[in-house]
Amino acid sequence: GGDLKKSEDYFNKSISLAPAYLATKVLMAEALMTKKQDRATFEKLLKEVLAADEKALPDVVPENTVEKKKATALLAKVEDLF
């Protein structure tokens, strides 16, 4: 269940506060966009993650590197998810 609009608002606020923290975009794509069946935004978010500099936030380089791998894996499953 849950309020998808409210969830999307929270994700967008989080992204605006820390755009270089890639996990938020991956989670938004995986959890919210699949539930909404919004393939275009799903792909857009994950492509932004892949294009991002994982070193932009030095404290989370390992995490951002993992998130890029997750984004690649999710994009590979796009046909199964939508």
Side-chain angles (χ1 to χ4, degrees):
D3 184 335
L4 296 181
K5 175 65 176 131
K6 191 179 282 188
S7 295
E8 189 165 0
D9 290 345
Y10 285 131
F11 274 116
N12 285 328
K13 182 175 182 180
S14 180
I15 290 168
S16 72
L17 293 172
Y21 185 71
L22 304 181
T24 306
K25 289 183 179 183
V26 172
L27 185 59
M28 184 177 185
E30 184 176 24
L32 182 63
M33 294 307 148
T34 56
K35 188 173 252 188
K36 287 180 65 176
Q37 285 295 289
D38 184 344
R39 181 177 176 160
T41 304
F42 175 89
E43 290 183 2
K44 176 182 171 286
L45 288 165
L46 296 176
K47 288 175 182 176
E48 287 174 3
V49 167
L50 293 178
D53 177 6
E54 66 272 11
K55 297 176 184 159
L57 291 175
D59 291 343
V60 294
V61 170
E63 188 173 346
N64 275 350
T65 301
V66 168
E67 295 304 326
K68 283 189 163 220
K69 290 178 183 173
K70 284 184 190 175
T72 299
L74 285 167
L75 282 170
K77 296 189 329 186
V78 73
E79 295 300 329
D80 296 330
L81 295 170
F82 295 91

